[in-house]
């Protein structure tokens, strides 16, 4: 086990220079998507999801709500009772997640064309410059553990660019590579090696889907298949209904013709797992295991770096719990264009036992 580990928390600011929106630009970007990539090809169902999502955003804003991010929209859908039942509200949320997932995947091509310089520089920081011995050696030597609140796949694609010896014969997210908990061959299994480098996506990811093996919501023991594609910087995904919706075929059971249940999850949704133990939620197995491992990594870290992350109120409860576990941490290091604002938010979330330093650096990822 590595005695000295550094925990890094990545936020939306890390992907901004690669063309991805931060909070206030999310739905403007979605509007542009509707008349560009989403307006061509076989995207009838996808356009309907985008249109419905934007209609809900406008409706909530007319009610005086501030709706800037997907997690805020999802929370309002659940809290304001859009639809008569929780199942109907969940369908609205999945539709909105599908729309944003399609937007994010459509941005991958241009991000790769820009070269992903910020993420590649970050990988040098994590694995060293010109790492020898390929990806296996670099991963084995790294003392970093990375938590990302982003559901884009830019880190993964930068990893594949920096380490061309990764040829996809080993699952990218398995414990032997990024150690993100997921497998290709055994899609139900979730496993994270706690003694090595790890890249955990706390809010899930685009290109990742959670399919319940049961068709009955009352089946408390329903298991979930975590199906995912491997991000490819050479061949970006095609934006089409086939990519984001299942065929209208009986063999797909309750999922037939519907959006693939994209595994993007937010803090308020974790409460649904307790409130509705009989559920078919795509993140019912993923979220608890990922956060359990994240908490362990926080408990082992001597330093915690927050990069491009603003410590938003929506994540406050989760962050308080995470930081309370960080009893070995002696320093928090903030890298942000406006670090003082982040520092104020962070200090409100730190446990009483923290006696170390909070260092701020004005920096863009």
């Amino acid at each position: 086990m590595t005695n000295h580990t550094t925990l890094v928390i990545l936020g939306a600011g890390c992907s901004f220079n690669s063309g991805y929106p931060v909070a206030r630009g999310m739905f403007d970007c979605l509007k542009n998507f509707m008349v560009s990539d989403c307006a061509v090809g076989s995207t009838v169902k996808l356009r309907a999801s985008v249109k419905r999502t934007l209609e809900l955003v406008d409706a909530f804003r007319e009610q005086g709500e501030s709706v800037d991010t997907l997690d805020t929209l999802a929370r309002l859908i659940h809290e304001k009772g859009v639809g008569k039942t929780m199942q109907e509200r969940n369908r609205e949320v999945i539709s909105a997640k599908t729309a944003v997932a399609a937007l994010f995947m459509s941005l991958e091509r241009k991000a790769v064309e820009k070269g992903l310089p910020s993420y590649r520089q970050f990988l040098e920081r994590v694995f060293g410059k010109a790492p020898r011995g390929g990806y296996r050696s670099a991963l084995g030597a790294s003392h970093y553990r990375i938590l990302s609140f982003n559901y884009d796949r830019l880190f993964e694609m930068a990893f594949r660019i920096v380490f061309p010896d990764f040829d996809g014969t080993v699952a990218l997210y398995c414990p032997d590579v990024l150690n993100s908990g997921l497998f290709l061959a055994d899609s139900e299994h979730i496993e994270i090696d706690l003694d090595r480098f790890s890249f955990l996506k706390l809010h899930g990811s685009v290109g990742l889907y959670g399919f319940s093996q049961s068709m009955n919501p009352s089946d408390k023991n329903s298991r979930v298949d975590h199906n995912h594609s491997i991000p490819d910087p050479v061949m970006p995904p095609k934006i089409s209904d086939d990519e984001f919706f299942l065929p209208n075929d009986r063999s797909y059971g309750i999922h037939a013709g519907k959006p693939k249940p994209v595994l993007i999850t937010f803090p308020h949704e974790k409460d649904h797992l307790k409130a509705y133990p009989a559920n078919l939620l795509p993140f019912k197995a993923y979220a608890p295991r990922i956060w359990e491992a994240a908490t362990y990594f926080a408990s082992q870290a001597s330093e915690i770096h927050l990069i491009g992350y603003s410590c938003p109120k929506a994540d406050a409860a989760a962050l308080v719990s995470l930081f309370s576990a960080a009893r070995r941490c002696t320093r928090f290091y903030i890298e942000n264009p406006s670090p003082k604002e982040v520092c104020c938010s962070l200090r409100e979330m730190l446990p009483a036992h923290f006696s170390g330093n909070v260092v701020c650096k004005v920096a863009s990822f």
Side-chain angles (χ1 to χ4, degrees), residues 114-312:
K114 291 181 179 180
L116 301 172
S118 297
Y119 275 98
R120 293 170 70 174
Q121 289 175 12
F122 177 64
L123 287 174
E124 286 186 358
R125 174 170 164 182
V126 173
F127 300 117
K129 293 185 177 180
R132 298 179 179 178
Y135 77 90
R136 291 182 183 274
S137 176
L139 290 167
S142 179
H143 62 83
Y144 282 85
R145 312 291 185 259
I146 301 173
L147 309 180
S148 177
F149 279 94
N150 302 334
Y151 31 87
D152 64 55
R153 305 188 297 181
L154 299 189
F155 178 93
E156 296 96 304
M157 286 190 288
F159 179 87
R160 296 200 65 180
I161 292 171
V162 171
F163 296 106
D165 60 309
F166 174 81
D167 58 7
T169 55
V170 180
L172 181 66
Y173 295 115
C174 78
D176 291 334
V177 191
L178 294 185
N179 197 22
S180 306
L182 302 174
F183 297 79
L184 286 173
D186 187 358
S187 59
E188 180 189 328
H189 187 53
I190 297 176
E191 179 184 343
I192 300 150
D193 187 338
L194 300 178
D195 293 333
R196 64 184 300 275
F197 171 86
S198 181
F199 172 67
L200 300 181
K201 308 189 81 168
L202 300 181
H203 280 179
S205 178
V206 304
L208 170 60
Y209 306 97
F211 292 93
S212 173
Q213 295 179 5
S214 174
M215 296 174 61
N216 182 4
S218 65
D219 182 1
K220 296 182 180 181
N221 297 316
S222 173
R223 297 177 178 179
V224 179
D225 286 324
H226 304 93
N227 298 339
H228 65 278
S229 58
I230 300 298
D232 190 341
V234 177
M235 296 184 63
K238 181 180 179 181
I239 305 303
S240 68
D241 286 347
D242 290 342
E243 179 70 34
F244 300 97
F245 292 80
L246 289 168
N248 195 12
D249 187 287
R250 291 183 179 179
S251 63
Y252 290 96
I254 60 173
H255 301 295
K258 296 178 181 178
K260 295 179 182 178
V262 60
L263 207 163
I264 295 175
T265 178
F266 302 116
H268 81 276
E269 292 183 308
K270 291 196 296 181
D271 296 334
H272 295 176
L273 298 179
K274 298 177 181 179
Y276 303 93
N279 69 76
L280 301 179
L281 296 172
F283 52 83
K284 64 182 297 181
Y286 176 89
R289 293 295 300 276
I290 294 301
W291 277 95
E292 179 183 353
T295 301
Y296 176 80
F297 290 143
S299 74
Q300 300 301 300
S302 58
E303 291 189 359
I304 297 179
H305 297 195
L306 285 73
I307 305 178
Y309 181 62
S310 61
C311 294

